[in-house]
Amino acid sequence: MAFSAGDEVVLALREFAARIDAYDPLPGPAVAEIHVGEQAVALRAPVVQALTEALRAYQDPRDRGTCDHCGGPRLDDNFVCADCGQPSGVFGQLLRERAARFESPDALPGA
Ligand SMILES: [Zn+2]
């Protein structure tokens, strides 16, 4: 039987809950239940709080902040904005200043 993405989420939730539950000697009642497909994971209050904090603290590894020009969230590895095409941040400012001073070798006298 194949291990589905849903199974992986359920396993991760159960492992997460077990890690938090280990700190409470007197486990309380489940206050929430997360359903993934046919499966359900019951969560006690400390687990709900920890899971909420973990989800809010998550930062996608592709998140490089927002563009200085348009505020778009999609900066590439070189901090160039996928929305407006402008380089962002101090590096982007340096690039723009260098590009403004650039003279093509063909435009130089004697070329
Ligand atoms: Zn932009």
Side-chain angles (χ1 to χ4, degrees), residues 35-92:
H35 294 262
V36 181
E38 302 287 316
Q39 304 179 72
V41 181
L43 306 175
R44 296 179 319 99
V47 177
V48 169
Q49 182 178 349
L51 180 60
T52 302
E53 289 174 17
L55 290 171
R56 288 192 173 130
Y58 175 78
Q59 183 173 5
D60 192 288
R62 298 167 295 176
D63 182 353
R64 296 171 188 93
T66 54
C67 175
D68 292 341
H69 300 278
C70 72
R74 300 183 305 142
L75 300 176
D76 69 11
D77 289 339
N78 297 312
F79 293 92
V80 175
C81 178
D83 297 313
C84 72
Q86 293 293 312
S88 187
V90 174
F91 178 69

Side-chain angles (χ1 to χ4, degrees), residues 3 8 11 14 18 26-27 33 42 45-46 56 71 105:
F3 195 67
E8 192 170 349
L11 179 62
R14 288 186 175 142
L26 299 172
E33 199 170 65
R56 288 192 173 130

